[in-house]
Amino acid sequence: MANATTVQEFLLLGLTSTQEWQPFFFVLFFMIYLINLVGNGAIVVIVILEPKLHSPMYFFLGNLSCLDICYSSVTLPKVLINLVSSRKAISFLGCIAQLHFFHFLGSTETILLAIMAFDRFVAICYPLRYMLIMNHQVCLLLVGAVWLISFFYALMHSVMTAHLDFCHSQKVNHFFCDVKPLLELACNNTLLHQWLLSIITGSVSMGAFLLTLLSYFYIIGFLLFKHRSCSVLQKALSTCASHFMVVCLFYGPVGFTYSRPASASSMVQDRIVAIIYSAVTPMLNPLIYTLRNKEVMLALKNISRKKFLLKHHQQHH
């Protein structure tokens, strides 16, 4: 504690120290970010503009797409700037803010995916009572509660990390500010922080994942016992398949990262895994949902046709 200094900024070591690889990574992450913005932005616009998609399922999907834009925007713009900068610095407050919003939005997405699974469970198992159970007020209340819980969860991590003394180094062994790499730099006893990170973050992600799995197991069991028809089961599961793909892509890497204790050797693995859940998954979400969802594809065609007809009409006047 004697060597503790007031840290004004941190240096992010980034994705690679090899100069030759940096232009390649810049192009790659720029394309990922662009696809993410366009794809998720298109889903948000489609859900708002198409009246046929004004249902709980698409309300949650619109929220997920909005979250994915914000979630990747917490890390990727800074990654892109650092890839073309010689000095990869981030201010202390900027670092804590990035950490806070990364955990805030990540936790929100984690719980929202579980709510989306519950929504499918109600829609398939209780179709006649679906709109009564999942009415507009309930959907707003669920989403509001998720955002609020996640905000205070992230606040716990950001406040506790901000009160640490940093004396080992200012070099963060990651491409963005996260709790685990910052704990490596602290000269305090970080046992409580590591315990909170492993237990609470692990519990949030794995708890939401188990709730999702439970919803799907109940759906499969319900359809098998009620209808005893493989065609009905196949039709129902096809509507859930896209959501389940997203769930596996998100929960798997998150659980792998935060359920293990921090160590210097695990940081390289964490960096690779972080690319999946912070950049790749938000980019794949719109592709998975639109390519596998007939209603979204139809709505996209309808909006495109309306825009074409409107443009054609304006040209003739």
Side-chain angles (χ1 to χ4, degrees):
M1 294 286 281
N3 295 328
T5 54
T6 305
V7 176
Q8 297 297 320
E9 62 178 21
F10 290 104
L11 298 171
L12 296 167
L13 295 184
L15 293 159
T16 179
S17 55
T18 311
Q19 201 71 31
E20 291 77 22
W21 280 99
Q22 289 186 6
F24 166 75
F25 278 117
F26 179 85
V27 173
L28 177 68
F29 279 90
F30 179 76
M31 290 306 295
I32 286 172
Y33 190 48
L34 194 65
I35 293 166
N36 177 2
L37 291 179
V38 173
N40 284 300
I43 287 180
V44 172
V45 170
I46 290 164
V47 168
I48 291 168
L49 294 182
E50 183 55 57
K52 289 178 183 177
L53 301 184
H54 290 175
S55 67
M57 178 184 172
Y58 295 105
F59 171 73
F60 294 130
L61 178 58
N63 263 274
L64 182 70
S65 293
C66 186
L67 260 176
D68 281 333
I69 292 170
C70 300
Y71 188 50
S72 57
S73 296
V74 171
T75 55
L76 288 184
K78 187 63 181 173
V79 169
L80 292 170
I81 291 165
N82 285 349
L83 283 168
V84 292
S85 304
S86 55
R87 195 166 182 274
K88 306 172 197 315
I90 184 168
S91 69
F92 178 79
L93 285 176
C95 186
I96 298 300
Q98 190 180 53
L99 180 154
H100 175 79
F101 282 102
F102 184 78
H103 279 269
F104 169 39
L105 297 166
S107 174
T108 305
E109 181 154 344
T110 302
I111 305 168
L112 184 66
L113 287 170
I115 289 172
M116 288 173 79
F118 174 74
D119 172 69
R120 293 297 82 216
F121 155 70
V122 176
I124 292 166
C125 299
Y126 302 98
L128 299 176
R129 293 169 61 196
Y130 174 59
M131 290 312 292
L132 186 68
I133 297 168
M134 300 299 289
N135 61 61
H136 189 61
Q137 285 81 9
V138 169
C139 292
L140 286 173
L141 193 68
L142 283 170
V143 169
V146 169
W147 283 84
L148 195 66
I149 290 163
S150 299
F151 178 82
F152 285 108
Y153 156 78
L155 195 66
M156 174 195 73
H157 281 309
S158 53
V159 169
M160 288 186 75
T161 307
H163 280 86
L164 288 171
D165 294 305
F166 300 96
C167 54
H168 295 156
S169 172
Q170 285 178 274
K171 293 179 180 177
V172 178
N173 192 16
H174 215 311
F175 60 89
F176 66 92
C177 286
D178 199 3
V179 180
K180 281 178 83 173
L182 287 173
L183 291 181
E184 290 288 299
L185 308 181
C187 45
N188 310 65
N189 184 346
T190 59
L191 197 64
L192 177 63
H193 297 73
Q194 289 186 10
W195 182 84
L196 284 171
L197 191 67
S198 297
I199 303 298
I200 297 179
T201 309
S203 298
V204 168
S205 57
M206 289 303 102
F209 182 55
L210 287 171
L211 189 64
T212 304
L213 283 181
L214 192 67
S215 296
Y216 284 123
F217 282 136
Y218 200 99
I219 288 167
I220 293 164
F222 173 82
L223 292 171
L224 281 174
F225 285 109
K226 189 178 180 181
H227 296 282
R228 301 181 190 277
S229 168
C230 288
S231 60
V232 174
L233 181 65
Q234 189 180 358
K235 187 183 177 183
L237 290 181
S238 68
T239 65
C240 303
S242 54
H243 178 253
F244 195 69
M245 285 169 72
V246 171
V247 162
C248 292
L249 278 167
F250 188 77
Y251 287 137
V254 169
F256 175 83
T257 302
Y258 295 107
S259 59
R260 300 172 305 133
S263 68
S265 59
S266 71
M267 284 303 161
V268 177
Q269 293 174 326
D270 287 353
R271 245 186 293 179
I272 296 162
V273 172
I275 292 168
I276 299 168
Y277 66 79
S278 67
V280 178
T281 304
M283 175 195 73
L284 290 176
N285 282 359
L287 296 174
I288 291 167
Y289 278 111
T290 51
L291 295 175
R292 290 193 59 86
N293 194 303
K294 289 177 184 177
E295 284 180 304
V296 174
M297 290 298 287
L298 192 66
L300 188 63
K301 286 174 185 175
N302 286 342
I303 290 167
S304 300
R305 190 170 70 248
K306 283 175 187 175
K307 281 187 176 180
F308 174 77
L309 291 170
L310 185 66
K311 192 177 179 182
H312 186 73
H313 179 74
Q314 285 173 343
Q315 283 175 347
H316 281 75
H317 285 274

